[in-house]
Amino acid sequence: MIAFSLFVAWHIFASFLWIAPPSPLREVVPAKMLSGYMLPMFGQSWSVFAPEPINGDYRIKVRAVTNASGEEQVTEWVDATEVELSMIQYNLFPPRAGLGAYEVASQLKGSFDKLTDDHRVIAGLNYFDEDWQSRLEQKMKGYGQPELVDAYVKAEAQALAYSSQVAFAMWGQENVVRVQYQVTRQNIVPFAKRHDPEAERPPVQHVTTGWRGTVVRDGQNSAAFEDVFVRQYEKIQQEGTK
């Protein structure tokens, strides 16, 4: 009972610090410790309220070129968002593992939308041979506005690191030659048409990128990711066949 009371007191205090305007009181708890506790499960986002509430869904799908038998083959798309969201749907204690794909897709879509048309054409090309990341960045910056390219390259590196983990989990790290991700967003039915029974959701918005080399960041635990992701993937496959 004492431990539970202390936890409740800490949670209320941490939530207060997180929501309250910046003040010297917030320095009582180190910033990393507070954000590490609050995100992503307890973080409060004002975007759920007017005037611009959340009004769309993000998805990220992954496929790869594999070479398991001396011949390169293209895999089918795997909907990573579907796999992760199935962990938190109807779950009173949702795991943090259920939010990664959505966050990756959201950040990539946001940075992609800010690019110019010329930048987007380059992003749609294939870059996977040696030094592909630096060559892609230099080519995009050749069309100006380097600050937009920097933001996009950072978001794409994150998307590729995530996509690589998905590909390694699904088809084996030793077999994956290169990967491709597909990020989409679809808005909900506009508020003004909420009472229209024939109203349909707006068309899906696509982020078009080419094939990329794999990205592995320091500290990633591919075995742990594979254990969680594949187990959940197989679970929803079995439920889908019932």
Side-chain angles (χ1 to χ4, degrees):
M1 180 59 74
I2 295 177
F4 179 74
S5 299
L6 290 174
F7 173 75
V8 172
W10 154 250
H11 181 76
I12 294 174
F13 182 61
S15 299
F16 169 77
L17 291 180
W18 187 257
I19 297 172
S23 69
L25 183 60
R26 191 162 184 167
E27 299 176 2
V28 172
V29 179
K32 289 187 177 179
M33 179 180 176
L34 183 61
S35 61
Y37 175 74
M38 295 300 297
L39 297 177
M41 293 180 61
F42 305 123
Q44 301 296 315
S45 174
W46 295 110
S47 58
V48 298
F49 302 109
E52 295 183 355
I54 296 174
N55 60 356
D57 298 326
Y58 292 97
R59 286 190 176 274
I60 180 169
K61 297 181 179 180
V62 178
R63 69 175 180 176
V65 169
T66 61
N67 190 349
S69 58
E71 182 178 354
E72 293 189 351
Q73 295 182 329
V74 180
T75 70
E76 296 182 347
W77 291 101
V78 170
D79 190 336
T81 313
E82 180 183 22
V83 175
E84 293 197 355
L85 289 181
S86 67
M87 301 180 192
I88 63 177
Q89 192 172 26
Y90 310 123
N91 188 347
L92 293 178
F93 303 97
R96 294 190 177 190
L99 300 173
Y102 189 93
E103 290 294 330
V104 167
S106 172
Q107 293 179 20
L108 191 286
K109 180 69 167 57
S111 63
F112 183 85
D113 287 348
K114 294 176 182 177
L115 295 175
T116 66
D117 290 342
D118 289 331
H119 291 142
R120 295 178 186 179
V121 170
I122 303 303
L125 302 178
N126 298 327
Y127 280 86
F128 51 80
D129 287 333
E130 187 176 359
D131 298 328
W132 65 268
Q133 288 179 299
S134 60
R135 290 190 290 107
L136 171 62
E137 181 176 349
Q138 292 173 8
K139 186 67 175 179
M140 294 183 76
K141 287 186 174 178
Y143 290 91
Q145 304 200 50
E147 69 282 1
L148 299 182
V149 176
D150 286 338
Y152 173 76
V153 168
K154 182 179 179 180
E156 178 164 278
Q158 182 181 35
L160 283 170
Y162 176 81
S163 300
S164 299
Q165 288 291 294
V166 172
F168 295 161
M170 294 298 300
W171 303 293
Q173 184 168 356
E174 68 280 5
N175 300 325
V176 174
V177 179
R178 51 186 174 272
V179 297
Q180 188 177 36
Y181 62 84
Q182 181 186 75
V183 167
T184 61
R185 172 187 167 88
Q186 185 175 27
N187 291 346
I188 62 174
V189 173
F191 184 76
K193 297 183 179 180
R194 65 191 183 282
H195 298 309
D196 183 354
E198 298 183 355
E200 297 181 354
R201 299 183 66 173
V204 177
Q205 306 166 43
H206 294 267
V207 171
T208 303
T209 60
W211 288 95
R212 298 286 190 265
T214 58
V215 172
V216 178
R217 287 183 167 175
D218 294 338
Q220 287 188 180
N221 190 328
S222 298
F225 184 94
E226 178 180 346
D227 179 57
V228 174
F229 189 88
V230 172
R231 178 158 30 94
Q232 192 66 22
Y233 173 81
E234 293 176 345
K235 179 182 178 181
I236 63 175
Q237 293 300 308
Q238 293 173 358
E239 292 175 348
T241 58
K242 293 180 181 178

